[in-house]
PDB file of all heavy atoms in Angstrom:
ATOM      1  N   ARG A   1      88.705   8.325  -6.277  1.00 86.00           N
ATOM      2  CA  ARG A   1      90.138   8.526  -6.559  1.00 86.00           C
ATOM      3  C   ARG A   1      90.459   9.991  -6.839  1.00 86.00           C
ATOM      4  O   ARG A   1      91.602  10.403  -6.693  1.00 86.00           O
ATOM      5  CB  ARG A   1      90.574   7.664  -7.746  1.00 86.00           C
ATOM      6  CG  ARG A   1      90.571   6.169  -7.478  1.00 86.00           C
ATOM      7  CD  ARG A   1      91.436   5.440  -8.502  1.00 86.00           C
ATOM      8  NE  ARG A   1      91.093   5.802  -9.861  1.00 86.00           N
ATOM      9  CZ  ARG A   1      90.187   5.182 -10.607  1.00 86.00           C
ATOM     10  NH1 ARG A   1      89.485   4.175 -10.087  1.00 86.00           N
ATOM     11  NH2 ARG A   1      89.963   5.571 -11.845  1.00 86.00           N
ATOM     12  N   HIS A   2      89.463  10.762  -7.246  1.00 88.00           N
ATOM     13  CA  HIS A   2      89.708  12.176  -7.534  1.00 88.00           C
ATOM     14  C   HIS A   2      89.489  13.070  -6.315  1.00 88.00           C
ATOM     15  O   HIS A   2      89.738  14.270  -6.394  1.00 88.00           O
ATOM     16  CB  HIS A   2      88.795  12.643  -8.675  1.00 88.00           C
ATOM     17  CG  HIS A   2      89.331  12.357 -10.032  1.00 88.00           C
ATOM     18  ND1 HIS A   2      89.838  13.324 -10.869  1.00 88.00           N
ATOM     19  CD2 HIS A   2      89.469  11.186 -10.712  1.00 88.00           C
ATOM     20  CE1 HIS A   2      90.250  12.784 -11.989  1.00 88.00           C
ATOM     21  NE2 HIS A   2      90.028  11.478 -11.924  1.00 88.00           N
ATOM     22  N   ALA A   3      89.020  12.515  -5.230  1.00 89.00           N
ATOM     23  CA  ALA A   3      88.557  13.349  -4.120  1.00 89.00           C
ATOM     24  C   ALA A   3      89.675  13.773  -3.177  1.00 89.00           C
ATOM     25  O   ALA A   3      90.520  12.970  -2.798  1.00 89.00           O
ATOM     26  CB  ALA A   3      87.492  12.596  -3.333  1.00 89.00           C
ATOM     27  N   ASP A   4      89.629  15.045  -2.790  1.00 88.00           N
ATOM     28  CA  ASP A   4      90.393  15.524  -1.631  1.00 88.00           C
ATOM     29  C   ASP A   4      89.577  15.334  -0.354  1.00 88.00           C
ATOM     30  O   ASP A   4      90.125  15.225   0.731  1.00 88.00           O
ATOM     31  CB  ASP A   4      90.710  17.023  -1.766  1.00 88.00           C
ATOM     32  CG  ASP A   4      91.655  17.322  -2.915  1.00 88.00           C
ATOM     33  OD1 ASP A   4      92.508  16.474  -3.225  1.00 88.00           O
ATOM     34  OD2 ASP A   4      91.521  18.407  -3.506  1.00 88.00           O
ATOM     35  N   HIS A   5      88.251  15.318  -0.518  1.00 94.00           N
ATOM     36  CA  HIS A   5      87.348  15.287   0.632  1.00 94.00           C
ATOM     37  C   HIS A   5      86.095  14.519   0.224  1.00 94.00           C
ATOM     38  O   HIS A   5      85.529  14.780  -0.842  1.00 94.00           O
ATOM     39  CB  HIS A   5      86.981  16.722   1.036  1.00 94.00           C
ATOM     40  CG  HIS A   5      86.270  16.847   2.336  1.00 94.00           C
ATOM     41  ND1 HIS A   5      86.742  17.610   3.376  1.00 94.00           N
ATOM     42  CD2 HIS A   5      85.117  16.316   2.784  1.00 94.00           C
ATOM     43  CE1 HIS A   5      85.906  17.549   4.394  1.00 94.00           C
ATOM     44  NE2 HIS A   5      84.905  16.750   4.060  1.00 94.00           N
ATOM     45  N   VAL A   6      85.664  13.579   1.064  1.00 96.00           N
ATOM     46  CA  VAL A   6      84.503  12.747   0.761  1.00 96.00           C
ATOM     47  C   VAL A   6      83.370  13.090   1.718  1.00 96.00           C
ATOM     48  O   VAL A   6      83.576  13.173   2.935  1.00 96.00           O
ATOM     49  CB  VAL A   6      84.850  11.247   0.874  1.00 96.00           C
ATOM     50  CG1 VAL A   6      83.601  10.390   0.644  1.00 96.00           C
ATOM     51  CG2 VAL A   6      85.946  10.874  -0.124  1.00 96.00           C
ATOM     52  N   LEU A   7      82.175  13.293   1.164  1.00 97.00           N
ATOM     53  CA  LEU A   7      80.976  13.564   1.951  1.00 97.00           C
ATOM     54  C   LEU A   7      80.012  12.393   1.765  1.00 97.00           C
ATOM     55  O   LEU A   7      79.537  12.145   0.649  1.00 97.00           O
ATOM     56  CB  LEU A   7      80.316  14.864   1.497  1.00 97.00           C
ATOM     57  CG  LEU A   7      81.152  16.141   1.660  1.00 97.00           C
ATOM     58  CD1 LEU A   7      80.472  17.320   0.973  1.00 97.00           C
ATOM     59  CD2 LEU A   7      81.403  16.450   3.120  1.00 97.00           C
ATOM     60  N   LEU A   8      79.759  11.665   2.859  1.00 97.00           N
ATOM     61  CA  LEU A   8      78.852  10.537   2.825  1.00 97.00           C
ATOM     62  C   LEU A   8      77.462  11.013   3.229  1.00 97.00           C
ATOM     63  O   LEU A   8      77.263  11.475   4.352  1.00 97.00           O
ATOM     64  CB  LEU A   8      79.327   9.437   3.784  1.00 97.00           C
ATOM     65  CG  LEU A   8      80.757   8.929   3.573  1.00 97.00           C
ATOM     66  CD1 LEU A   8      81.093   7.872   4.625  1.00 97.00           C
ATOM     67  CD2 LEU A   8      80.937   8.365   2.168  1.00 97.00           C
ATOM     68  N   LEU A   9      76.502  10.922   2.329  1.00 97.00           N
ATOM     69  CA  LEU A   9      75.137  11.368   2.598  1.00 97.00           C
ATOM     70  C   LEU A   9      74.333  10.237   3.228  1.00 97.00           C
ATOM     71  O   LEU A   9      74.390   9.098   2.753  1.00 97.00           O
ATOM     72  CB  LEU A   9      74.448  11.809   1.308  1.00 97.00           C
ATOM     73  CG  LEU A   9      74.962  13.070   0.614  1.00 97.00           C
ATOM     74  CD1 LEU A   9      74.075  13.398  -0.575  1.00 97.00           C
ATOM     75  CD2 LEU A   9      75.017  14.234   1.570  1.00 97.00           C
ATOM     76  N   ALA A  10      73.587  10.562   4.267  1.00 97.00           N
ATOM     77  CA  ALA A  10      72.796   9.537   4.952  1.00 97.00           C
ATOM     78  C   ALA A  10      71.488  10.113   5.453  1.00 97.00           C
ATOM     79  O   ALA A  10      71.417  11.278   5.852  1.00 97.00           O
ATOM     80  CB  ALA A  10      73.596   8.952   6.114  1.00 97.00           C
ATOM     81  N   GLU A  11      70.452   9.279   5.428  1.00 96.00           N
ATOM     82  CA  GLU A  11      69.177   9.597   6.046  1.00 96.00           C
ATOM     83  C   GLU A  11      69.170   9.045   7.466  1.00 96.00           C
ATOM     84  O   GLU A  11      69.693   7.957   7.717  1.00 96.00           O
ATOM     85  CB  GLU A  11      68.023   8.969   5.251  1.00 96.00           C
ATOM     86  CG  GLU A  11      67.722   9.653   3.934  1.00 96.00           C
ATOM     87  CD  GLU A  11      66.868  10.899   4.110  1.00 96.00           C
ATOM     88  OE1 GLU A  11      66.523  11.212   5.270  1.00 96.00           O
ATOM     89  OE2 GLU A  11      66.557  11.548   3.101  1.00 96.00           O
ATOM     90  N   PRO A  12      68.591   9.755   8.430  1.00 96.00           N
ATOM     91  CA  PRO A  12      68.511   9.220   9.795  1.00 96.00           C
ATOM     92  C   PRO A  12      67.766   7.885   9.803  1.00 96.00           C
ATOM     93  O   PRO A  12      66.791   7.699   9.065  1.00 96.00           O
ATOM     94  CB  PRO A  12      67.736  10.299  10.555  1.00 96.00           C
ATOM     95  CG  PRO A  12      67.897  11.538   9.739  1.00 96.00           C
ATOM     96  CD  PRO A  12      67.977  11.095   8.323  1.00 96.00           C
ATOM     97  N   ASP A  13      68.233   6.990  10.617  1.00 94.00           N
ATOM     98  CA  ASP A  13      67.594   5.685  10.847  1.00 94.00           C
ATOM     99  C   ASP A  13      67.680   4.738   9.654  1.00 94.00           C
ATOM    100  O   ASP A  13      67.366   3.556   9.795  1.00 94.00           O
ATOM    101  CB  ASP A  13      66.116   5.839  11.234  1.00 94.00           C
ATOM    102  CG  ASP A  13      65.919   6.724  12.454  1.00 94.00           C
ATOM    103  OD1 ASP A  13      66.749   6.620  13.380  1.00 94.00           O
ATOM    104  OD2 ASP A  13      64.970   7.517  12.484  1.00 94.00           O
ATOM    105  N   ALA A  14      68.073   5.201   8.474  1.00 96.00           N
ATOM    106  CA  ALA A  14      68.090   4.345   7.290  1.00 96.00           C
ATOM    107  C   ALA A  14      69.285   3.409   7.326  1.00 96.00           C
ATOM    108  O   ALA A  14      70.392   3.813   7.710  1.00 96.00           O
ATOM    109  CB  ALA A  14      68.139   5.194   6.026  1.00 96.00           C
ATOM    110  N   PRO A  15      69.123   2.147   6.941  1.00 96.00           N
ATOM    111  CA  PRO A  15      70.243   1.190   6.966  1.00 96.00           C
ATOM    112  C   PRO A  15      71.289   1.520   5.905  1.00 96.00           C
ATOM    113  O   PRO A  15      71.008   2.207   4.913  1.00 96.00           O
ATOM    114  CB  PRO A  15      69.568  -0.150   6.679  1.00 96.00           C
ATOM    115  CG  PRO A  15      68.322   0.203   5.935  1.00 96.00           C
ATOM    116  CD  PRO A  15      67.864   1.516   6.489  1.00 96.00           C
ATOM    117  N   LEU A  16      72.461   1.001   6.105  1.00 96.00           N
ATOM    118  CA  LEU A  16      73.573   1.226   5.187  1.00 96.00           C
ATOM    119  C   LEU A  16      73.359   0.437   3.900  1.00 96.00           C
ATOM    120  O   LEU A  16      72.864  -0.690   3.916  1.00 96.00           O
ATOM    121  CB  LEU A  16      74.873   0.785   5.873  1.00 96.00           C
ATOM    122  CG  LEU A  16      76.205   1.161   5.224  1.00 96.00           C
ATOM    123  CD1 LEU A  16      76.372   2.671   5.183  1.00 96.00           C
ATOM    124  CD2 LEU A  16      77.350   0.528   6.015  1.00 96.00           C
ATOM    125  N   ARG A  17      73.748   1.024   2.787  1.00 95.00           N
ATOM    126  CA  ARG A  17      73.676   0.317   1.520  1.00 95.00           C
ATOM    127  C   ARG A  17      74.573  -0.916   1.539  1.00 95.00           C
ATOM    128  O   ARG A  17      75.653  -0.913   2.150  1.00 95.00           O
ATOM    129  CB  ARG A  17      74.094   1.227   0.367  1.00 95.00           C
ATOM    130  CG  ARG A  17      73.010   2.166  -0.109  1.00 95.00           C
ATOM    131  CD  ARG A  17      73.526   3.034  -1.237  1.00 95.00           C
ATOM    132  NE  ARG A  17      72.441   3.633  -1.981  1.00 95.00           N
ATOM    133  CZ  ARG A  17      72.619   4.456  -3.006  1.00 95.00           C
ATOM    134  NH1 ARG A  17      73.848   4.776  -3.397  1.00 95.00           N
ATOM    135  NH2 ARG A  17      71.590   4.961  -3.638  1.00 95.00           N
ATOM    136  N   ALA A  18      74.153  -1.943   0.842  1.00 93.00           N
ATOM    137  CA  ALA A  18      74.918  -3.189   0.792  1.00 93.00           C
ATOM    138  C   ALA A  18      76.306  -2.925   0.217  1.00 93.00           C
ATOM    139  O   ALA A  18      76.458  -2.260  -0.808  1.00 93.00           O
ATOM    140  CB  ALA A  18      74.179  -4.211  -0.065  1.00 93.00           C
ATOM    141  N   GLY A  19      77.311  -3.448   0.900  1.00 93.00           N
ATOM    142  CA  GLY A  19      78.683  -3.333   0.424  1.00 93.00           C
ATOM    143  C   GLY A  19      79.378  -2.040   0.758  1.00 93.00           C
ATOM    144  O   GLY A  19      80.589  -1.903   0.536  1.00 93.00           O
ATOM    145  N   ALA A  20      78.649  -1.056   1.298  1.00 94.00           N
ATOM    146  CA  ALA A  20      79.241   0.260   1.543  1.00 94.00           C
ATOM    147  C   ALA A  20      80.337   0.203   2.602  1.00 94.00           C
ATOM    148  O   ALA A  20      81.401   0.817   2.447  1.00 94.00           O
ATOM    149  CB  ALA A  20      78.169   1.262   1.956  1.00 94.00           C
ATOM    150  N   ALA A  21      80.092  -0.527   3.698  1.00 95.00           N
ATOM    151  CA  ALA A  21      81.079  -0.578   4.780  1.00 95.00           C
ATOM    152  C   ALA A  21      82.386  -1.191   4.300  1.00 95.00           C
ATOM    153  O   ALA A  21      83.480  -0.679   4.586  1.00 95.00           O
ATOM    154  CB  ALA A  21      80.513  -1.362   5.961  1.00 95.00           C
ATOM    155  N   ASP A  22      82.299  -2.306   3.567  1.00 95.00           N
ATOM    156  CA  ASP A  22      83.512  -2.970   3.074  1.00 95.00           C
ATOM    157  C   ASP A  22      84.257  -2.077   2.095  1.00 95.00           C
ATOM    158  O   ASP A  22      85.490  -1.965   2.149  1.00 95.00           O
ATOM    159  CB  ASP A  22      83.153  -4.297   2.409  1.00 95.00           C
ATOM    160  CG  ASP A  22      82.672  -5.339   3.402  1.00 95.00           C
ATOM    161  OD1 ASP A  22      82.962  -5.179   4.608  1.00 95.00           O
ATOM    162  OD2 ASP A  22      82.009  -6.298   2.982  1.00 95.00           O
ATOM    163  N   TYR A  23      83.515  -1.432   1.198  1.00 94.00           N
ATOM    164  CA  TYR A  23      84.165  -0.561   0.210  1.00 94.00           C
ATOM    165  C   TYR A  23      84.876   0.605   0.880  1.00 94.00           C
ATOM    166  O   TYR A  23      86.041   0.901   0.582  1.00 94.00           O
ATOM    167  CB  TYR A  23      83.137  -0.047  -0.792  1.00 94.00           C
ATOM    168  CG  TYR A  23      83.671   1.050  -1.681  1.00 94.00           C
ATOM    169  CD1 TYR A  23      84.622   0.778  -2.661  1.00 94.00           C
ATOM    170  CD2 TYR A  23      83.252   2.377  -1.521  1.00 94.00           C
ATOM    171  CE1 TYR A  23      85.134   1.789  -3.466  1.00 94.00           C
ATOM    172  CE2 TYR A  23      83.749   3.388  -2.325  1.00 94.00           C
ATOM    173  CZ  TYR A  23      84.686   3.091  -3.290  1.00 94.00           C
ATOM    174  OH  TYR A  23      85.205   4.084  -4.078  1.00 94.00           O
ATOM    175  N   LEU A  24      84.200   1.272   1.800  1.00 94.00           N
ATOM    176  CA  LEU A  24      84.798   2.435   2.449  1.00 94.00           C
ATOM    177  C   LEU A  24      85.979   2.050   3.313  1.00 94.00           C
ATOM    178  O   LEU A  24      86.959   2.803   3.411  1.00 94.00           O
ATOM    179  CB  LEU A  24      83.734   3.164   3.279  1.00 94.00           C
ATOM    180  CG  LEU A  24      82.615   3.825   2.461  1.00 94.00           C
ATOM    181  CD1 LEU A  24      81.507   4.321   3.378  1.00 94.00           C
ATOM    182  CD2 LEU A  24      83.172   4.974   1.625  1.00 94.00           C
ATOM    183  N   ALA A  25      85.925   0.893   3.952  1.00 93.00           N
ATOM    184  CA  ALA A  25      87.071   0.435   4.735  1.00 93.00           C
ATOM    185  C   ALA A  25      88.257   0.131   3.832  1.00 93.00           C
ATOM    186  O   ALA A  25      89.415   0.385   4.189  1.00 93.00           O
ATOM    187  CB  ALA A  25      86.682  -0.809   5.542  1.00 93.00           C
ATOM    188  N   ARG A  26      87.975  -0.378   2.650  1.00 91.00           N
ATOM    189  CA  ARG A  26      89.049  -0.754   1.721  1.00 91.00           C
ATOM    190  C   ARG A  26      89.765   0.469   1.157  1.00 91.00           C
ATOM    191  O   ARG A  26      90.978   0.430   0.906  1.00 91.00           O
ATOM    192  CB  ARG A  26      88.450  -1.598   0.590  1.00 91.00           C
ATOM    193  CG  ARG A  26      89.467  -2.241  -0.321  1.00 91.00           C
ATOM    194  CD  ARG A  26      88.819  -3.293  -1.210  1.00 91.00           C
ATOM    195  NE  ARG A  26      87.923  -2.717  -2.216  1.00 91.00           N
ATOM    196  CZ  ARG A  26      86.605  -2.864  -2.214  1.00 91.00           C
ATOM    197  NH1 ARG A  26      86.015  -3.569  -1.258  1.00 91.00           N
ATOM    198  NH2 ARG A  26      85.867  -2.316  -3.165  1.00 91.00           N
ATOM    199  N   VAL A  27      89.030   1.556   0.941  1.00 88.00           N
ATOM    200  CA  VAL A  27      89.638   2.733   0.303  1.00 88.00           C
ATOM    201  C   VAL A  27      90.002   3.816   1.325  1.00 88.00           C
ATOM    202  O   VAL A  27      90.440   4.900   0.930  1.00 88.00           O
ATOM    203  CB  VAL A  27      88.685   3.330  -0.758  1.00 88.00           C
ATOM    204  CG1 VAL A  27      88.402   2.305  -1.838  1.00 88.00           C
ATOM    205  CG2 VAL A  27      87.384   3.832  -0.115  1.00 88.00           C
ATOM    206  N   ARG A  28      89.847   3.527   2.598  1.00 87.00           N
ATOM    207  CA  ARG A  28      90.107   4.537   3.626  1.00 87.00           C
ATOM    208  C   ARG A  28      91.560   5.011   3.578  1.00 87.00           C
ATOM    209  O   ARG A  28      92.481   4.226   3.395  1.00 87.00           O
ATOM    210  CB  ARG A  28      89.787   3.967   5.010  1.00 87.00           C
ATOM    211  CG  ARG A  28      89.949   4.973   6.134  1.00 87.00           C
ATOM    212  CD  ARG A  28      89.653   4.352   7.491  1.00 87.00           C
ATOM    213  NE  ARG A  28      89.807   5.311   8.556  1.00 87.00           N
ATOM    214  CZ  ARG A  28      90.987   5.602   9.123  1.00 87.00           C
ATOM    215  NH1 ARG A  28      92.075   4.980   8.728  1.00 87.00           N
ATOM    216  NH2 ARG A  28      91.060   6.506  10.092  1.00 87.00           N
ATOM    217  N   SER A  29      91.758   6.307   3.743  1.00 85.00           N
ATOM    218  CA  SER A  29      93.092   6.905   3.760  1.00 85.00           C
ATOM    219  C   SER A  29      93.132   8.006   4.811  1.00 85.00           C
ATOM    220  O   SER A  29      92.191   8.800   4.918  1.00 85.00           O
ATOM    221  CB  SER A  29      93.437   7.490   2.389  1.00 85.00           C
ATOM    222  OG  SER A  29      94.592   8.305   2.455  1.00 85.00           O
ATOM    223  N   ASP A  30      94.215   8.049   5.574  1.00 83.00           N
ATOM    224  CA  ASP A  30      94.376   9.116   6.563  1.00 83.00           C
ATOM    225  C   ASP A  30      94.523  10.481   5.897  1.00 83.00           C
ATOM    226  O   ASP A  30      94.361  11.515   6.558  1.00 83.00           O
ATOM    227  CB  ASP A  30      95.594   8.837   7.443  1.00 83.00           C
ATOM    228  CG  ASP A  30      95.390   7.658   8.368  1.00 83.00           C
ATOM    229  OD1 ASP A  30      94.227   7.328   8.656  1.00 83.00           O
ATOM    230  OD2 ASP A  30      96.392   7.051   8.800  1.00 83.00           O
ATOM    231  N   TRP A  31      94.840  10.487   4.605  1.00 86.00           N
ATOM    232  CA  TRP A  31      95.063  11.744   3.902  1.00 86.00           C
ATOM    233  C   TRP A  31      93.769  12.330   3.335  1.00 86.00           C
ATOM    234  O   TRP A  31      93.697  13.521   3.051  1.00 86.00           O
ATOM    235  CB  TRP A  31      96.051  11.538   2.757  1.00 86.00           C
ATOM    236  CG  TRP A  31      97.462  11.352   3.207  1.00 86.00           C
ATOM    237  CD1 TRP A  31      98.105  10.175   3.418  1.00 86.00           C
ATOM    238  CD2 TRP A  31      98.413  12.376   3.487  1.00 86.00           C
ATOM    239  NE1 TRP A  31      99.406  10.403   3.810  1.00 86.00           N
ATOM    240  CE2 TRP A  31      99.616  11.746   3.858  1.00 86.00           C
ATOM    241  CE3 TRP A  31      98.376  13.775   3.460  1.00 86.00           C
ATOM    242  CZ2 TRP A  31     100.766  12.462   4.197  1.00 86.00           C
ATOM    243  CZ3 TRP A  31      99.521  14.479   3.806  1.00 86.00           C
ATOM    244  CH2 TRP A  31     100.694  13.825   4.163  1.00 86.00           C
ATOM    245  N   ILE A  32      92.772  11.484   3.103  1.00 88.00           N
ATOM    246  CA  ILE A  32      91.528  11.943   2.504  1.00 88.00           C
ATOM    247  C   ILE A  32      90.471  12.023   3.601  1.00 88.00           C
ATOM    248  O   ILE A  32      90.077  11.009   4.165  1.00 88.00           O
ATOM    249  CB  ILE A  32      91.043  10.978   1.390  1.00 88.00           C
ATOM    250  CG1 ILE A  32      92.174  10.731   0.384  1.00 88.00           C
ATOM    251  CG2 ILE A  32      89.807  11.542   0.715  1.00 88.00           C
ATOM    252  CD1 ILE A  32      92.669  11.970  -0.309  1.00 88.00           C
ATOM    253  N   ARG A  33      90.029  13.222   3.910  1.00 92.00           N
ATOM    254  CA  ARG A  33      89.090  13.403   5.008  1.00 92.00           C
ATOM    255  C   ARG A  33      87.682  13.004   4.567  1.00 92.00           C
ATOM    256  O   ARG A  33      87.264  13.278   3.437  1.00 92.00           O
ATOM    257  CB  ARG A  33      89.104  14.861   5.469  1.00 92.00           C
ATOM    258  CG  ARG A  33      88.366  15.085   6.786  1.00 92.00           C
ATOM    259  CD  ARG A  33      88.761  16.395   7.404  1.00 92.00           C
ATOM    260  NE  ARG A  33      88.380  17.535   6.594  1.00 92.00           N
ATOM    261  CZ  ARG A  33      88.835  18.763   6.795  1.00 92.00           C
ATOM    262  NH1 ARG A  33      89.690  19.001   7.757  1.00 92.00           N
ATOM    263  NH2 ARG A  33      88.442  19.772   6.027  1.00 92.00           N
ATOM    264  N   THR A  34      86.960  12.366   5.472  1.00 96.00           N
ATOM    265  CA  THR A  34      85.603  11.925   5.206  1.00 96.00           C
ATOM    266  C   THR A  34      84.672  12.453   6.283  1.00 96.00           C
ATOM    267  O   THR A  34      84.963  12.335   7.469  1.00 96.00           O
ATOM    268  CB  THR A  34      85.528  10.384   5.175  1.00 96.00           C
ATOM    269  OG1 THR A  34      86.369   9.888   4.125  1.00 96.00           O
ATOM    270  CG2 THR A  34      84.104   9.914   4.947  1.00 96.00           C
ATOM    271  N   ASP A  35      83.567  13.049   5.875  1.00 97.00           N
ATOM    272  CA  ASP A  35      82.516  13.497   6.786  1.00 97.00           C
ATOM    273  C   ASP A  35      81.225  12.757   6.465  1.00 97.00           C
ATOM    274  O   ASP A  35      80.997  12.356   5.317  1.00 97.00           O
ATOM    275  CB  ASP A  35      82.265  15.004   6.645  1.00 97.00           C
ATOM    276  CG  ASP A  35      83.419  15.857   7.141  1.00 97.00           C
ATOM    277  OD1 ASP A  35      84.153  15.395   8.038  1.00 97.00           O
ATOM    278  OD2 ASP A  35      83.584  16.975   6.623  1.00 97.00           O
ATOM    279  N   ILE A  36      80.389  12.596   7.473  1.00 98.00           N
ATOM    280  CA  ILE A  36      79.038  12.086   7.262  1.00 98.00           C
ATOM    281  C   ILE A  36      78.075  13.270   7.325  1.00 98.00           C
ATOM    282  O   ILE A  36      78.066  14.020   8.300  1.00 98.00           O
ATOM    283  CB  ILE A  36      78.651  11.040   8.313  1.00 98.00           C
ATOM    284  CG1 ILE A  36      79.563   9.808   8.208  1.00 98.00           C
ATOM    285  CG2 ILE A  36      77.198  10.614   8.135  1.00 98.00           C
ATOM    286  CD1 ILE A  36      79.272   8.748   9.247  1.00 98.00           C
ATOM    287  N   VAL A  37      77.293  13.448   6.271  1.00 98.00           N
ATOM    288  CA  VAL A  37      76.304  14.517   6.207  1.00 98.00           C
ATOM    289  C   VAL A  37      74.934  13.874   6.384  1.00 98.00           C
ATOM    290  O   VAL A  37      74.530  13.017   5.591  1.00 98.00           O
ATOM    291  CB  VAL A  37      76.376  15.271   4.874  1.00 98.00           C
ATOM    292  CG1 VAL A  37      75.330  16.382   4.837  1.00 98.00           C
ATOM    293  CG2 VAL A  37      77.781  15.841   4.662  1.00 98.00           C
ATOM    294  N   VAL A  38      74.223  14.284   7.426  1.00 97.00           N
ATOM    295  CA  VAL A  38      72.934  13.680   7.761  1.00 97.00           C
ATOM    296  C   VAL A  38      71.816  14.608   7.296  1.00 97.00           C
ATOM    297  O   VAL A  38      71.744  15.768   7.720  1.00 97.00           O
ATOM    298  CB  VAL A  38      72.820  13.404   9.269  1.00 97.00           C
ATOM    299  CG1 VAL A  38      71.587  12.547   9.551  1.00 97.00           C
ATOM    300  CG2 VAL A  38      74.076  12.712   9.793  1.00 97.00           C
TER     301      VAL A  38
END
């Protein structure tokens, strides 16, 4: 809620944490930019 910009950290080939996809889809906003950092 405090973020102007979200950085999602990920390891190559590693599976997604449980619940992460649903949570991120629920809080997604066109105003808050999100990057994936590998």
